[in-house]
Amino acid sequence: MQNAPDLEFVALTKSYGDTIAVDSIGYHFAAGTYACLLGPSGCGKSSTLRMVAGHETVSNGSILLGGRDISHLPPAKRGTAMMFQNYALFPHLSVIDNVAFSLKMKGVDRATRLGHAAEMLDLVDMSDYAQRLPSMLSGGQQQRVALARALITKPQVLLLDEPLSALDPFLRIRMRAELKRLQRELGITFIHVTHGQDEALALADEIVVMNNAKIEQAGKTRQVFEAPATAFVARFLGSHNVISLPGGPVAVRSDALQLGVPEGARMQGKITNIEYQGTHVALTAAVAGDQDVTALLPDKVFFDAPKDLGEAVGLYWEDQAAHALSA
């Protein structure tokens, strides 16, 4: 889709009585981006998504789509579509009638709406299942139908609420690739809520990490991963150690830590856990200050010089591998 509009949050706030679920957040999403709202349960990410969709009222601030304030428009007038976690397909309708349903509600004649629905089913590779009922489909197939139903309204922004959480791990990885392909093909903005770090890193051009109703850090995915601003972001994204030093806390990636003799090391510790992960071995060591740090070693490096539980080790890292944290 050409000229897809930008999406912007301006001091966006959601409160339920005295409880603030989303606390005056601001962010500008570039047009045609795949963005993930990432954070733990209760951080405000789903409330944010539901405000964009129009399924929650905005308590304060605004949502701009292409510069137009859509904060108080009904869902059907916003230019957004939402794909729900449980897919919410009508059990008594065929796949093609499920996909065509929103056009039926708009008064589009049957032949036209079924024609559009057939195009959407082709897009998600579900044409062969058009006449089946949802109960005759697998979880992954139901998800594709829900995606086609959301896309038939030709939204400018597609909102996805934990869309992969109900799928088994193998199918989840396949569907990640499918979502990314569709987003690139359609050229529209996808805003995807997840608490899965792997999912966000695999899919997102931009990542918005939320914590306690606020945006903790946001930006290009690789930049946020490479340079977490706070201890929370470093820990939540995974693959980082937060290490307290005299000059303040730093984040050091697990794969940047090296093990060696205790003498002369930056830190000394004792190995408390060894976990074989196929291509890598994760070694956790207890160090001064009641801290645990994890080093991720290539399997060959570990098995060429194996370590044992309880063994004293030195921890080494390059200066540039340590990233100072603000909190």
Side-chain angles (χ1 to χ4, degrees), residues 245-262:
L245 298 173
V250 297
V252 182
R253 276 172 48 166
S254 302
D255 58 355
L257 277 181
Q258 293 154 11
L259 300 186
V261 295

Side-chain angles (χ1 to χ4, degrees), residues 125-191:
D125 200 22
M126 284 293 291
S127 299
D128 293 344
Y129 301 86
Q131 300 308 322
R132 294 197 186 182
L133 292 174
S135 60
M136 302 162 73
L137 304 178
S138 69
Q141 290 166 340
Q142 287 186 34
Q143 192 202 44
R144 283 189 160 91
V145 175
L147 200 52
R149 188 180 60 180
L151 291 170
I152 199 167
T153 59
K154 300 198 183 319
Q156 296 168 317
V157 177
L158 181 66
L159 308 166
L160 303 110
D161 187 13
E162 301 269 9
L164 307 179
S165 60
L167 305 178
D168 65 63
F170 177 73
L171 189 53
R172 203 174 299 152
I173 290 169
R174 266 188 54 203
M175 287 308 299
R176 286 199 314 226
E178 192 72 10
L179 285 172
K180 193 69 179 168
R181 176 190 69 79
L182 270 171
Q183 191 270 331
R184 285 185 176 136
E185 213 169 280
L186 295 165
I188 64 176
T189 301
F190 277 32
I191 309 290

Side-chain angles (χ1 to χ4, degrees), residues 57-68:
T57 56
V58 171
S59 302
N60 219 326
S62 52
I63 301 159
L64 305 179
L65 184 57
R68 179 177 71 120

